[in-house]
Amino acid sequence: MPWLSAILLCCFLVGCTAPARIPYDPKAASAARVDGFDDIRIYADSSGQLPQSRSWLPVLRHKEINYLVLSGGGARGAFSVGALKAWSDKGQRPEFDMVSGVSTGALIAPYAFLGSAFDHTLVELYTSGVARDLVDLKFLPRGLLGSSLLSQEPLRTMVERYLTRGTLERIAAEHRKGRRLLVLTSNLDSQRAVIWNMGAIADSGRPDALKLFQDVIIASASLPGLYPAVLIKATAGGRTFEEMHSDGGSATQILTIPEGWIANAQDDEWRKGQKFNMYILVNNALMPEFALTTNNTFIVMAKASSLLIKSQTRSALLATYAYAQKTGIRFHMASIDVPVSHELTDPFNTNYMRAIYNLGYAQMAHGSLWKDRPSFIATPAGIQTVQQQ
C-alpha cells in the first residue's frame, strides 16, 4: 500500500472534517441486513452457515468443481488478466463453478465468471490505459481535508460503464444454473470481512440490484483513505443506518475458504465425494524483493506496508493449503515471481500494466504458471527483471 504513508499523515485532518453518520451499536450491526435482499451476504468468520444454503454452494454439474480465486493487487491485476487470456487461447480454460474476487480481483471476477467471451473487456481495462484515469491528482488538495485523497468518481464511472444491466442479467442466468460469484468487502464499523453472493444479488429481480452490485464492487476495490469508503444502507430492529464498507484486501488478499470453515475443518461435510480444483491467482509478488531503502518516513512506511501485504497473503495461502490437504482439494496457485520495475508514484502506468499482463500470459502459455503448493520464491536465476516497453 504505497499510499499508506500519505493516509496516516492526513488522518488527523480527515477526522476534523468527516461528515456525520447515523450511529448504531454492535447488536444492530450483527443483525443488520440489506433491506429487500435475502441471503446475499455473510461474515467470513462465521462458521456452519454456507453448507445449509443452496444459493451459496455450487451445483455439481460435471465430474468436478473448479474454483477460481482472484486476489487484490491494484494495477497488478493485469497478471490475472494475462493468465486468463492465455488460458482461453490454449483452449483449456474451464467454466468455473465458483469465482471469488478481492479488491482488483473483484473488478476482474464478474468477467472471469462469465467466461472467455469477456476476455476482451478485461484486456481493455488492464492494458489500454483507461486505468490511468483512476488517479485524479486534481482532487488531491481537496482530498486532504475530506473523506479520501482521491475522488471516487473515476472508479465509479468505470464500473458503471462496464458493469451494465445486461452484464447483471448474464450473471443472474449463470447463478440460476448453480454457478457462484463471490466478492469480499471489509466492514470498517465491525472490523469484519463480508462475503457477498453477487449472483444472488443479480438474480434478486429488484430494481436496485444493479446499484448494490456496483457499490459492492466499488467498495471492494476502494483502498481506505485513497478512495472513499462506500456507505451501504442496512436495517435492524426497525432502524435504518449506513454501514461503511471498503477494500476487501484490508481483511485478506484472497477469498478461498471462509476462515470460519478453516477453523472448523474437522466438521466439514459439504463437499465429500466431489473432485474440487482450486486455482488461486495472486496479483502480487510474494518473494523477497531487495531494494536499498531510503531513510525517509514515507518510503519506510510504504516498504513496511508492502511487507505486511506479503505476509498476510502468505499466511492465507498456507492456511488454505493446510485445509486443502485435509479435505482433498487440489491446490493450484500462481503469483508474480519475476521482478517488474515500476514507480510508486505512478501506480497505474500503462506500460507497467502491460508488462505484468505479458508476464501472466507468457507463464500460462508456456505451462509454467501453476504450483501445487505455496511458493514464495523468485523464478530461478537467469530470468531477468521484466522491463516496461
Side-chain angles (χ1 to χ4, degrees):
M1 297 181 187
W3 300 92
L4 181 61
S5 54
I7 293 169
L8 293 175
L9 177 66
C10 302
C11 66
F12 74 97
L13 293 173
V14 173
C16 296
T17 60
R21 297 180 57 203
I22 300 172
Y24 68 105
D25 56 28
K27 182 178 179 181
S30 63
R33 58 188 296 272
V34 180
D35 195 32
F37 292 88
D38 295 319
D39 201 22
I40 61 164
R41 64 182 193 170
I42 64 165
Y43 283 118
D45 56 8
S46 301
S47 60
Q49 292 188 21
L50 273 82
Q52 283 73 46
S53 177
R54 292 183 180 274
S55 67
W56 285 85
L57 296 175
V59 175
L60 184 62
R61 299 172 300 142
H62 310 292
K63 293 182 179 180
E64 55 190 23
I65 290 175
N66 292 300
Y67 181 16
L68 176 67
V69 176
L70 298 160
S71 87
R76 292 180 173 187
F79 177 73
S80 285
V81 174
L84 289 169
K85 183 64 168 67
W87 209 350
S88 297
D89 290 348
K90 292 177 71 174
Q92 298 175 356
R93 178 172 157 185
E95 181 183 68
F96 300 108
D97 302 281
M98 294 178 66
V99 176
S100 74
V102 177
S103 198
T104 195
L107 294 171
I108 300 169
Y111 306 107
F113 179 75
L114 290 175
S116 301
F118 286 80
D119 284 349
H120 66 283
T121 301
L122 287 174
V123 173
E124 179 179 352
L125 280 169
Y126 282 83
T127 67
S128 71
V130 297
R132 298 199 76 167
D133 294 337
L134 295 177
V135 179
D136 183 5
L137 295 180
K138 293 180 294 184
F139 185 78
L140 186 58
R142 290 180 289 123
L144 293 175
L145 296 173
S147 60
S148 63
L149 295 178
L150 298 176
S151 170
Q152 187 189 80
E153 286 310 306
L155 177 59
R156 182 169 288 278
T157 298
M158 177 181 290
V159 169
E160 290 177 350
R161 175 185 173 188
Y162 287 94
L163 280 175
T164 64
R165 191 161 296 280
T167 308
L168 199 74
E169 291 170 355
R170 291 184 177 94
I171 290 170
E174 295 304 313
H175 178 79
R176 289 192 292 272
K177 293 177 185 178
R179 301 176 64 217
R180 302 294 175 244
L181 173 62
L182 309 175
V183 163
L184 194 80
T185 65
S186 297
N187 184 327
L188 298 182
D189 298 325
S190 300
Q191 291 192 330
R192 299 175 77 184
V194 181
I195 304 172
W196 296 82
N197 188 333
M198 305 302 284
I201 294 173
D203 194 37
S204 66
R206 291 185 55 84
D208 52 349
L210 178 60
K211 175 65 162 53
L212 178 60
F213 193 102
Q214 292 170 340
D215 281 349
V216 171
I217 296 291
I218 293 167
S220 184
S222 294
L223 185 66
L226 179 59
Y227 294 106
V230 176
L231 297 174
I232 295 179
K233 191 172 292 185
T235 61
R239 296 182 59 240
T240 299
F241 47 88
E242 290 177 318
E243 301 171 337
M244 183 175 282
H245 288 261
S246 191
D247 182 18
S250 298
T252 180
Q253 290 292 306
I254 54 173
L255 172 56
T256 54
I257 304 297
E259 61 189 76
W261 284 17
I262 290 179
N264 295 279
Q266 69 276 7
D267 301 324
D268 179 20
E269 297 286 342
W270 68 276
R271 54 151 303 277
K272 285 188 175 179
Q274 300 175 0
K275 292 183 179 180
F276 197 123
N277 299 306
M278 182 182 293
Y279 300 96
I280 306 171
L281 285 171
V282 178
N283 297 304
N284 236 317
L286 301 178
M287 75 283 191
E289 296 175 283
F290 178 84
L292 196 64
T293 304
T294 302
N295 195 7
N296 171 281
T297 301
F298 292 170
I299 293 175
V300 169
M301 293 174 74
K303 291 290 289 287
S305 174
S306 175
L307 177 57
L308 176 64
I309 290 173
K310 288 186 182 187
S311 299
Q312 178 196 52
T313 309
R314 289 177 178 182
S315 296
L317 286 167
L318 290 168
T320 299
Y321 180 70
Y323 180 89
Q325 292 293 99
K326 290 180 181 179
T327 57
I329 293 175
R330 287 177 283 189
F331 179 97
H332 310 274
M333 69 151 284
S335 62
I336 298 172
D337 57 5
V338 177
V340 183
S341 59
H342 68 288
E343 294 291 334
L344 292 179
T345 55
D346 189 10
F348 294 102
N349 179 278
T350 303
N351 289 334
Y352 170 65
M353 295 178 72
R354 288 173 180 168
I356 293 289
Y357 170 88
N358 291 335
L359 176 63
Y361 189 99
Q363 290 189 344
M364 174 64 81
H366 297 151
S368 60
L369 185 76
W370 298 117
K371 300 173 178 62
D372 62 4
R373 63 189 60 201
S375 176
F376 310 132
I377 60 174
T379 296
I383 294 187
Q384 300 298 313
T385 298
V386 176
Q387 299 293 329
Q388 300 172 28
Q389 301 300 314

